[in-house]
Amino acid sequence: LYYFLVIKAPEYVNRGMGNPKLMSNVMEKIKVPLPPLEVQNEIVKVLDNYTKSIKELKEKINKELVARKKQYSWYRDYLLKFENKVKMVKLGDIVKVYDGTHQTPNYKTDGIPFISVENINNIYNTEKYISEEDYEKNYKIKPKIDDIFMTRIGTIGKCAIVTEDIPLAYYVSLALLRLDKNKIDSGYLKYIIESEIGRKELNKRILFTAVPIKINKGDIDKIEIPLPPLEVQKRIVEVLDNFEKICNDLNIGLPTEIEARQKQYEFYRNFLLTFKIEN
């Protein structure tokens, strides 16, 4: 009965009301095909096994994703440990640090995209905007390609590289790092800040007693990072980009496999629960 109603009951839902409803007097009228009890039991046994296999697949895939992410983090940190074979430099020697507006903006329905910590995973995906007038007035330092946004309030040390030549307004929760491109590669700086080395340097300067926790703009300059030759940086970035792509492909590929299994299960379930109706 459960498996059949999952398929059939939605057809009887009244969706013209504020909340879709399935009225009890309507449910009473749903006609259910009733094969012999032993046939019902066999159908349930088959579908239960299929449901169980999908659940087990999801659990395995989740474990695999976690394992791959750990493997990637270990590999990244390993590549970025130079064991005193390269010089250490302060970030302030190779990067200029700026922060965003400290004022809550006057949001508009369109205009210049406005981003904060919550947009760090995709800085080009925001539903907040400010006017061009406010942007010109309040932002002397405008993001350029290869600049890096780094979160510095609440979530700290997550980075995003500016890859498009479009205006972006940003909040005080983000620091804008402008690199000396003759000395450091933007991809390398992102990886090093997000690595074990970067986290340790950030932790020395994070104000854990603040609510929310934060790192002051002036302390970002003091972070020390290893600085190999530019060609070595670019090679490291190439290797890590490829490894990250493999991990991302896995993140896409395995859920797609789950979706395919789910569709296969739904087809099989519907097939099993379709009967020739006796006259």
Side-chain angles (χ1 to χ4, degrees):
L1 182 61
Y2 164 78
Y3 282 119
F4 181 78
L5 288 178
V6 165
I7 302 171
K8 201 67 178 175
E11 297 177 12
Y12 292 82
V13 172
N14 185 344
R15 303 183 188 280
M17 309 171 72
N19 293 315
K21 292 182 180 179
L22 177 57
M23 308 301 290
S24 58
N25 63 324
V26 174
M27 182 176 285
E28 290 174 354
K29 297 175 183 177
I30 296 176
K31 290 186 176 182
V32 180
L34 199 67
L37 201 55
E38 60 272 19
V39 175
Q40 298 176 38
N41 290 335
E42 188 60 30
I43 290 171
V44 169
K45 181 179 177 183
V46 171
L47 292 179
D48 279 352
N49 286 337
Y50 215 109
T51 302
K52 182 181 177 183
S53 70
I54 291 177
K55 182 181 178 182
E56 289 173 349
L57 178 65
K58 288 179 179 179
E59 289 173 354
K60 288 179 182 178
I61 286 176
N62 287 334
K63 287 180 181 177
E64 179 68 12
L65 290 175
V66 170
R68 289 295 180 94
K69 286 176 182 176
K70 286 182 178 179
Q71 183 184 27
Y72 163 72
S73 295
W74 181 91
Y75 192 52
R76 177 197 61 201
D77 292 346
Y78 175 78
L79 269 183
L80 295 171
K81 284 180 181 176
F82 297 97
E83 299 178 352
N84 300 321
K85 295 177 182 177
V86 299
K87 65 178 179 179
M88 300 291 290
V89 300
K90 289 184 178 179
L91 213 53
D93 294 336
I94 53 174
V95 168
K96 290 183 179 179
V97 182
Y98 307 96
D99 64 354
T101 180
H102 290 237
Q103 304 298 321
T104 301
N106 180 18
Y107 294 121
K108 305 294 183 182
T109 54
D110 57 18
I112 305 299
F114 181 87
I115 62 171
S116 60
V117 168
E118 65 186 19
N119 307 111
I120 197 64
N121 290 326
N122 185 351
I123 57 176
Y124 300 104
N125 182 22
T126 178
E127 297 177 354
K128 296 179 179 178
Y129 302 89
I130 65 171
S131 68
E132 290 188 22
E133 181 182 1
D134 284 348
Y135 183 64
E136 293 300 327
K137 178 181 176 182
N138 298 317
Y139 289 89
K140 293 181 180 179
I141 306 301
K142 298 175 174 62
K144 296 179 179 179
I145 289 177
D146 286 332
D147 285 351
I148 289 179
F149 283 112
M150 187 192 87
T151 57
R152 71 177 195 86
I153 296 178
T155 300
I156 298 174
K158 180 72 177 170
C159 296
I161 300 174
V162 176
T163 58
E164 298 182 25
D165 188 19
I166 63 173
L168 281 176
Y170 51 103
Y171 195 48
V172 65
S173 56
L174 295 175
L176 182 72
L177 311 182
R178 181 152 292 165
L179 294 64
D180 181 343
K181 295 183 183 180
N182 294 318
K183 296 180 179 178
I184 189 164
D185 178 84
S186 58
Y188 174 79
L189 182 57
K190 178 182 186 297
Y191 281 126
I192 202 75
I193 289 175
E194 293 181 344
S195 73
E196 183 181 5
I197 294 170
R199 290 194 303 272
K200 285 181 178 179
E201 282 293 305
L202 287 168
N203 285 340
K204 292 177 186 178
R205 298 164 180 86
I206 289 174
L207 299 175
F208 289 102
T209 55
V211 180
I213 63 171
K214 66 178 182 177
I215 181 170
N216 287 329
K217 170 180 168 287
D219 287 330
I220 296 174
D221 284 346
K222 301 171 186 175
I223 294 171
E224 293 188 347
I225 64 168
L227 193 69
L230 201 55
E231 61 271 18
V232 175
Q233 296 176 39
K234 292 182 181 296
R235 177 58 182 155
I236 289 171
V237 169
E238 182 181 353
V239 172
L240 289 177
D241 280 352
N242 287 334
F243 200 88
E244 192 174 59
K245 184 177 183 297
I246 292 171
C247 289
N248 288 336
D249 287 346
L250 185 71
N251 285 336
I252 295 169
L254 292 182
T256 300
E257 174 67 14
I258 290 178
E259 184 181 357
R261 290 289 186 94
Q262 186 68 32
K263 287 181 178 178
Q264 184 182 24
Y265 158 73
E266 289 172 5
F267 169 83
Y268 196 44
R269 178 198 62 196
N270 294 350
F271 176 78
L272 280 178
L273 292 172
T274 301
F275 300 93
K276 275 190 176 182
I277 306 300
E278 294 180 351
N279 294 327

